[in-house]
Amino acid sequence: MATLITGGGGFIGSHLVDLLREETNESIIILDNFSTGTKDNIAGFDRVEVINGSVCESDIVDGAVSRATEVYHLAAAVGVEKIVDNPLDSLQTNLEGTENVLEAAAEHQVPTFIASSSEVYGKSTAVPFAESDNRILGPTTSPRWSYASAKAVDEAYGLAYHDAEDLPVVVGRYFNIVGPRQSGQYGMVIPTFVEQALAGEPLTVYGDGTQTRSFTHVEEAVRATYELLHDPDAHGEVFNVGAPQPTSINDLAERVIELTGSESEIEHIPYEVAYDEDFEEPQQREPDVSQLEATLGWRPETELDRILEDVIEERREPTVPEAAE
Ligand code: UDP
């Protein structure tokens, strides 16, 4: 038997693979279509089987789940840019994919972790956000809020399967998970700023830069993920998974410039130029982690500078020059 990680080739998934390889002797099955993940993230690992497929294909999902003793469902369309550019694809992956995973997990009675997102809080400003707080979303015509709705439905599905089918399910709401291996390709701010700073280009701060995010080290996020699924008291519950230390995007840009020693300047870009006219975004984001801490006995707290140092070190690593012909 094995542990199944959907989206195991992705940024968070591949760090979970690292943790499981350290903590257990079980084999690992990764189901990934590598739409945003990369095979480099998991290349050369023993005990890891890779199924190249989509969570939208129910037969493949059922086959993989039937061989598993636990499931981490991390496969999803992620990244604000990707979601805004491909709303249909993102809805299908995030709704059908989760439905397929939960249906198979219930059929085979396999404990399942469902990855959700702090996006479900929408544009609420009532920080810090507790799991039972109200959510405030904009209109369905904005893809960002459809993504938030899809993630909320995923959560509700998970909880309903827990109640109706006795399926051990736990939901984690990730808050801006960052660290090495995260791609800047889909607009994520830390890899984008670090790459800009190292290249001596301006750091592109969207809006006035006063918006805040609570950046969370991926290593702490995957440890919390693993421990939540292994704690029967957590089943049937939703948990914020994040470090409760909000930072404004202006401050983030300044820290990146300082820590890289870059000469780059900061350039403010209006949202309508960065995205489009109707773009809206959460102004504040900070988790209330009391429930997480009460359950795990610890909370994510890696400081922003340490996170940035890890990402900068990775991005600075010299690439091996190609051999001369
Ligand atoms: N952001 C920015 N410049 C960029 C990319 C992102 O100022 O090049 C901002 C973005 O507007 C948001 C914050 O950084 O306020 C975090 O963006 P990200 O896409 O990483 O995560 P999310 O929006 O999902 O919190």
Side-chain angles (χ1 to χ4, degrees):
M1 294 302 268
T3 298
L4 172 64
I5 308 178
T6 73
F11 160 57
I12 300 177
S14 69
H15 282 274
L16 182 60
V17 172
D18 289 346
L19 181 134
L20 290 170
R21 290 181 72 243
E22 271 170 39
E23 294 283 332
T24 77
N25 291 320
E26 282 212 24
S27 20
I28 298 166
I29 305 171
I30 289 173
L31 172 60
D32 204 308
N33 65 357
F34 298 97
S35 59
T36 52
T38 131
K39 289 194 172 138
D40 293 347
N41 283 343
I42 44 170
F45 286 171
D46 59 348
R47 287 196 281 131
V48 175
E49 175 193 345
V50 178
I51 302 173
N52 198 332
S54 164
V55 283
C56 293
E57 295 168 83
S58 56
D59 292 353
I60 295 181
V61 171
D62 188 74
V65 172
S66 70
R67 296 163 50 209
T69 48
E70 57 185 21
V71 177
Y72 297 90
H73 176 44
L74 306 185
V78 291
V80 176
E81 254 173 56
K82 191 170 164 64
I83 289 154
V84 169
D85 290 347
N86 303 290
L88 179 58
D89 189 43
S90 139
L91 280 170
Q92 282 169 337
T93 305
N94 296 342
L95 291 170
E96 285 173 27
T98 304
E99 195 178 342
N100 287 339
V101 168
L102 284 167
E103 199 178 331
E107 168 76 27
H108 304 286
Q109 281 296 305
V110 188
T112 300
F113 175 92
I114 301 286
S116 183
S117 163
S118 53
E119 283 280 328
V120 299
Y121 292 105
K123 49 187 171 176
S124 169
T125 53
V127 287
F129 301 145
E131 292 84 349
S132 55
D133 283 354
N134 289 329
R135 302 180 299 116
I136 301 185
L137 304 183
T140 50
T141 44
S142 162
R144 179 167 207 149
W145 308 128
S146 309
Y147 170 80
S149 303
K151 279 291 173 190
V153 170
D154 288 349
E155 292 191 7
Y157 248 134
L159 298 175
Y161 268 102
H162 174 268
D163 293 348
E165 310 260 344
D166 280 335
L167 179 67
V169 171
V170 60
V171 175
R173 283 185 185 158
Y174 290 141
F175 279 69
N176 291 78
I177 311 302
V178 290
R181 292 184 212 150
Q182 186 174 36
S183 165
Q185 216 182 326
Y186 308 102
M188 272 76 162
V189 68
I190 286 189
T192 303
F193 281 2
V194 169
E195 281 168 18
Q196 289 169 334
L198 292 176
E201 293 164 5
L203 272 63
T204 52
V205 172
Y206 298 160
D208 68 4
T210 58
Q211 70 272 30
T212 63
R213 295 293 184 270
S214 295
F215 295 102
T216 306
H217 199 296
V218 65
E219 284 169 12
E220 291 186 309
V222 298
R223 174 145 304 276
T225 299
Y226 174 77
E227 291 183 14
L228 285 172
L229 187 57
H230 286 235
D231 182 349
D233 289 342
H235 297 163
E237 303 284 339
V238 177
F239 292 86
N240 287 334
V241 177
Q245 335 177 81
T247 305
S248 75
I249 301 307
N250 283 331
D251 286 350
L252 173 70
E254 278 167 23
R255 289 310 299 151
V256 170
I257 288 174
E258 168 108 23
L259 291 172
T260 51
S262 169
E263 306 270 296
S264 292
E265 308 217 317
I266 294 175
E267 185 183 344
H268 286 90
I269 299 181
Y271 287 125
E272 58 272 22
V273 176
Y275 297 105
D276 66 33
E277 285 291 323
D278 304 325
F279 186 79
E280 285 185 285
E281 79 158 356
Q283 270 305 302
Q284 295 181 61
R285 199 179 268 165
E286 180 188 344
D288 176 334
V289 289
S290 39
Q291 192 178 313
L292 185 74
E293 194 168 9
T295 302
L296 302 184
W298 62 276
R299 63 183 187 177
E301 58 192 358
T302 304
E303 288 183 354
L304 181 63
D305 277 11
R306 208 340 281 288
I307 299 176
L308 291 176
E309 278 158 10
D310 280 1
V311 175
I312 292 165
E313 189 186 308
E314 178 206 32
R315 293 303 207 272
R316 269 201 219 276
E317 268 175 20
T319 47
V320 180
E322 287 191 18
E325 293 282 308

